[in-house]
């Protein structure tokens, strides 16, 4: 994974992990994410730290400021992790591709795709694509 994509994984990965914490899918994803952060040596400690962040996310109940704070904490953790182990970015990508379908995926050629919409709610169509064939109105 190239440097620019790793930086995008720091940004969008942290937000996606924080969002995942507020869903039922967290029960399945949490052990894999804890292993990712713990790197097999500190898994229990990483799991406990993630649960503290999750508790804040759940209490926030949609409070954007609290959610942004928790995403920032995750960004810092991811930045440190990816600096020491760049392969971890690809591992996170694979986990998020499984648990947040439609947001993270790889194409057949091995290209990584991260779909992201920022700054509010869109009331118009948003299309992100490589090649579109036979598109009709």
């Amino acid at each position: 994974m190239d440097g620019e994509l790793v930086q995008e994984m720091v940004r969008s990965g942290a937000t996606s992990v924080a969002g995942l914490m507020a869903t039922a899918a967290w029960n399945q994803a949490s052990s894999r994410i804890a292993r990712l952060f713990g790197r097999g040596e500190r898994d229990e400690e990483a799991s406990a730290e993630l649960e503290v962040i999750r508790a804040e996310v759940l209490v926030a109940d949609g409070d954007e400021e609290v959610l942004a704070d928790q995403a920032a904490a995750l960004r810092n953790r991811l930045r440190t992790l990816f600096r020491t182990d760049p392969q971890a970015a690809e591992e996170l990508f694979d986990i998020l591709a499984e648990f947040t379908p439609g947001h993270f995926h790889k194409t057949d050629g091995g290209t990584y795709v991260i779909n992201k919409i920022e700054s509010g709610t869109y009331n118009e169509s948003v299309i992100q694509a490589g090649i579109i064939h036979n598109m009709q109105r």
Side-chain angles (χ1 to χ4, degrees):
M1 204 177 270
D2 70 20
E4 188 176 317
L5 191 53
V6 169
Q7 289 308 310
E8 184 56 37
M9 278 305 299
V10 167
R11 287 186 294 275
S12 61
T15 302
S16 295
V17 169
L20 188 60
M21 289 175 165
T23 69
W26 179 251
N27 295 329
Q28 297 169 332
S30 62
S31 62
R32 289 180 57 193
I33 294 174
R35 270 194 310 275
L36 175 77
F37 280 113
R39 302 317 288 156
E41 298 172 9
R42 299 180 36 250
D43 296 0
E44 288 183 29
E45 182 182 331
S47 180
E49 291 169 0
L50 288 168
E51 286 306 317
V52 169
I53 293 171
R54 180 176 188 247
E56 290 291 323
V57 167
L58 294 176
V59 169
D61 194 32
D63 182 328
E64 293 297 322
E65 186 174 340
V66 174
L67 294 174
D69 289 346
Q70 297 314 314
L74 288 166
R75 267 194 312 277
N76 290 334
R77 301 254 345 236
L78 288 174
R79 194 172 289 112
T80 301
L81 174 63
F82 296 166
R83 197 173 299 126
T84 59
D85 184 359
Q87 182 63 32
E90 189 163 336
E91 292 175 39
L92 178 61
F93 190 98
D94 291 341
I95 293 168
L96 293 175
E98 181 179 338
F99 289 101
T100 58
H103 296 287
F104 297 84
H105 62 277
K106 293 180 193 174
T107 64
D108 291 336
T111 302
Y112 296 88
V113 179
I114 301 171
N115 296 317
K116 181 170 116 179
I117 298 173
E118 292 184 1
S119 300
T121 304
Y122 288 86
N123 294 319
E124 299 293 326
S125 298
V126 176
I127 299 173
Q128 180 175 341
I131 299 171
I132 301 174
H133 296 282
N134 298 325
M135 188 168 169
Q136 299 175 353
R137 226 161 145 49

